[in-house]
Amino acid sequence: MTAHGTDPRDPVTSTPYGAVRGRWERGIAVFRGIPYAAPPFGAHRFRPPVPPEPWDGVRDAGAFGPTAPKPPYSEAFARYLSDPVIPGDDCLNLNVWTPQPGPGARLPVLVFLHGGALTRGSSAVPVYDGHAFARDGVVFVSVNHRLGVEGYGLFPDASPNPGLHDQLAALRWVHETIARFGGDPGRVTLCGQSAGAIGAGVLLAAPHTQGLIRRAVLQSGPPEAAERDKVRRMVRRMAARLRIPATARAFAAVDRTLLLRTQAEVGRLSSPVLGGPAFGIVVDGDLVPRDPLQALVDGGAAPGVDLLMGWTRDEYRLWLVPGGLVDHVDRLGPVAFAGAMARCHASHEVPRGYRALHPDAGPAEIVGQMVTDHLLRRPLHRLAEARPGSSYLYEFAWPSRRPGLGACHALELGFVFDTGTVPEATLLAGDGAPQRLADAMHGAWVRFATTGDPGWEPWDDTHPVRVLGDGEPHTVSGPRDEELALWSPATTPRLERTAELTLAVRRLRRSMAAVRRH
């Protein structure tokens, strides 16, 4: 396992399964591709992770390890999002950036879970480089885990949520091992963005993680469990296309490339706006014993854990701008509103209220903000309300230099990581992202991981939200309260799908799918 041509001055650190050799990069020790579990294939396919086989000698950790199997982004999304593919089966691996490898430093630790709708993404995305965190005194860890049907398929002959179990295995590895890399296992901040934030929130609520997490950062994703039937529909539709039973045993026999292609075809309507069948974390009676948001709101889960949570002002624009869907939704008008009502379980009063508050907004903006509030802002507000004094909220409001994107989903990542100058960050942000904003955001995340205080007031009855955009960061009281007040129990009944609403949803999905195909 020892690499040829390595420098004897390279850092070497032990793990429970063998020693690893990293690299010194700009004064930071970097270890990439460290296995925390065995390859999830063969006998381990669709099963919870098991420890990797120990190795003799020193394993080279100079390059990113294999990424989990995943389909590529569509051409429309690939113009904005980078998603490297590294072949190989040993995809349950993680990376560590540390300024002081070796025991004794006891530095704060930040563990990052990437986004990608549980179907795409990896720790090898250049925007997620951990150098700036380590430079500023935080040991940074990024994680690969199973994706899509491999990690979140729901089968009668396999346990649910193997991808979430991967994340838990990585978190346990950090607790047991990170002191050898200079970290403090008692000061671990679990951070995730989008699907990664959902995973972080679910793990935060899990009884199995008690004592493993000191703080958590949820970027554009709340703790949530998907409807089991919604996940089953993804598996059943894949099985129908493949003409096989909807079992883990049958799926394991399918060529992996064909499986990924089928997953991409079936999942093309899985946008947050459309709400089609999608993979998700489900309540399983074990790792996820109950709804995670309710567990955290009730106060029994994750006592004493500090929270940093937020969203981008225009989340929905990344869901609708690629492929020209904004203009298409604007043209659909009433059909789009009816689809949003069904998607959000909202009565007519909700879109009417948004239109009154934003009279100059078109249907796409109103629908997008409705869905964003339903999926993100409302549950994060609810969580903050239940945990005042230890919850900090932010809104990222800097608009991308790319036309039409605004302050869209995932745009804040280059600022959090202080990687705005890498080419992959400019795909989403364009040129000229302000370094001052990166300094402010990255500095807030470092302070939070170190002390639990990002630098502004915690949540209280004035609803303080830190706005990070053009100009100096500033705190505003209740910037979204008017919109969220529209979602009263009277306006959000558990609506039955009337024939009218069902027809509107189907028409919206068909028309948007046609736009995406072209």
Side-chain angles (χ1 to χ4, degrees):
M1 302 296 293
T2 303
H4 297 289
T6 55
D7 190 319
R9 293 169 294 183
D10 285 337
V12 175
T13 302
S14 64
T15 80
Y17 309 108
V20 290
R21 183 189 305 277
R23 301 289 187 273
W24 287 106
E25 299 177 5
R26 295 176 287 163
I28 300 300
V30 185
F31 301 82
R32 296 182 175 92
I34 304 173
Y36 65 84
F41 300 104
H44 305 310
R45 191 106 179 255
F46 300 111
R47 298 290 184 266
V50 298
E53 289 292 327
W55 57 86
D56 297 323
V58 180
R59 183 186 183 108
D60 187 54
F64 286 113
T67 53
K70 55 188 175 177
Y73 280 117
S74 67
E75 184 178 347
F77 279 90
R79 294 189 296 133
Y80 301 104
L81 300 172
S82 168
D83 197 12
V85 173
I86 301 172
D89 285 352
D90 208 355
C91 60
L92 301 186
N93 58 70
L94 51 77
N95 320 292
V96 180
W97 282 257
T98 175
Q100 299 182 51
R106 309 294 288 187
L107 297 171
V109 181
L110 190 145
V111 179
F112 180 71
L113 304 177
H114 66 81
L118 295 179
T119 57
R120 295 175 174 87
S122 79
S123 64
V125 174
V127 177
Y128 307 154
D129 186 281
H131 178 272
F133 280 104
R135 176 198 68 198
D136 295 332
V138 176
V139 176
F140 180 82
V141 181
S142 56
V143 178
N144 280 344
H145 57 87
R146 277 173 282 185
L147 301 170
V149 72
E150 301 279 358
Y152 300 95
L154 195 53
F155 299 102
D157 55 338
S159 300
N161 301 321
L164 187 69
H165 280 272
D166 295 344
Q167 296 175 19
L168 175 61
L171 197 57
R172 285 174 170 161
W173 184 99
V174 168
H175 184 74
E176 296 167 1
T177 311
I178 205 63
R180 307 181 195 185
F181 291 81
D184 182 351
R187 285 199 292 168
V188 172
T189 298
L190 182 61
C191 174
Q193 188 270 338
S194 191
I198 293 172
V202 173
L203 288 175
L204 188 65
H208 293 63
T209 65
Q210 297 305 303
L212 301 182
I213 304 168
R214 178 64 186 84
R215 302 181 179 98
V217 182
L218 308 182
Q219 298 176 218
S220 300
E224 69 176 20
E227 299 174 13
R228 294 176 72 92
D229 187 58
K230 193 173 185 178
V231 180
R232 283 197 188 98
R233 288 204 308 272
M234 274 290 287
V235 173
R236 288 169 179 165
R237 291 181 183 185
M238 288 182 65
R241 281 180 178 251
L242 293 166
R243 298 180 180 179
I244 60 172
T247 64
R249 181 177 181 180
F251 271 62
V254 177
D255 173 77
R256 203 179 301 172
T257 301
L258 176 60
L259 201 61
L260 291 175
R261 186 166 65 246
T262 305
Q263 176 182 300
E265 292 169 353
V266 171
R268 71 179 186 276
L269 295 181
S270 298
S271 158
V273 173
L274 297 176
F279 292 112
I281 298 164
V282 298
V283 172
D284 58 16
D286 176 27
L287 181 53
V288 191
R290 57 181 297 208
D291 178 81
L293 178 60
Q294 193 62 51
L296 291 166
V297 166
D298 288 347
V305 174
D306 304 315
L307 298 177
L308 173 58
M309 307 179 288
W311 51 78
T312 71
R313 186 190 62 199
D314 307 310
E315 298 271 5
Y316 69 95
R317 287 191 168 271
L318 185 64
W319 308 329
L320 294 182
V321 167
L325 293 177
V326 167
D327 293 338
H328 191 65
V329 173
D330 279 339
R331 288 193 298 270
L332 287 171
V335 172
F337 287 131
M341 288 164 51
R343 175 76 178 96
C344 301
H345 307 289
S347 67
H348 290 279
E349 284 79 4
V350 175
R352 286 173 185 163
Y354 277 80
R355 295 176 77 177
L357 290 172
H358 306 282
D360 297 327
E365 182 175 349
I366 292 174
V367 167
Q369 294 293 6
M370 275 182 60
V371 173
T372 299
D373 285 347
H374 172 68
L375 295 179
L376 297 179
R377 297 189 186 108
R378 290 179 66 213
L380 293 181
H381 265 241
R382 186 180 169 203
L383 186 51
E385 283 288 305
R387 304 169 75 98
S390 60
S391 300
Y392 299 84
L393 266 63
Y394 72 88
E395 177 171 289
F396 179 81
W398 180 81
S400 171
R401 304 303 190 214
R402 299 291 301 273
L405 288 179
C408 69
H409 189 70
L411 181 59
E412 87 282 8
L413 287 165
F415 297 88
V416 168
F417 282 84
D418 193 11
T419 52
T421 59
V422 303
E424 290 79 6
T426 62
L427 290 176
L428 203 57
D431 296 322
Q435 183 60 43
R436 183 172 63 176
L437 181 56
D439 294 341
M441 289 199 73
H442 175 74
W445 267 239
V446 169
R447 284 192 298 273
F448 182 75
T450 304
T451 69
D453 181 354
W456 62 88
E457 306 93 309
W459 190 263
D460 59 21
D461 57 8
T462 68
H463 295 184
V465 175
R466 192 69 161 178
V467 178
L468 300 147
D470 285 324
E472 289 295 324
H474 57 285
T475 303
V476 177
S477 294
R480 297 285 177 176
D481 284 359
E482 284 188 296
E483 288 90 342
L484 297 182
L486 297 169
W487 301 81
S488 68
T491 62
T492 55
R494 296 300 295 182
L495 294 177
E496 295 295 330
R497 283 279 182 88
T498 65
E500 178 186 0
L501 286 180
T502 299
L503 182 62
V505 170
R506 288 176 178 171
R507 182 179 169 192
L508 181 61
R509 288 178 179 169
R510 283 198 303 268
S511 59
M512 293 178 73
V515 171
R516 283 184 167 172
R517 284 195 295 270
H518 294 90

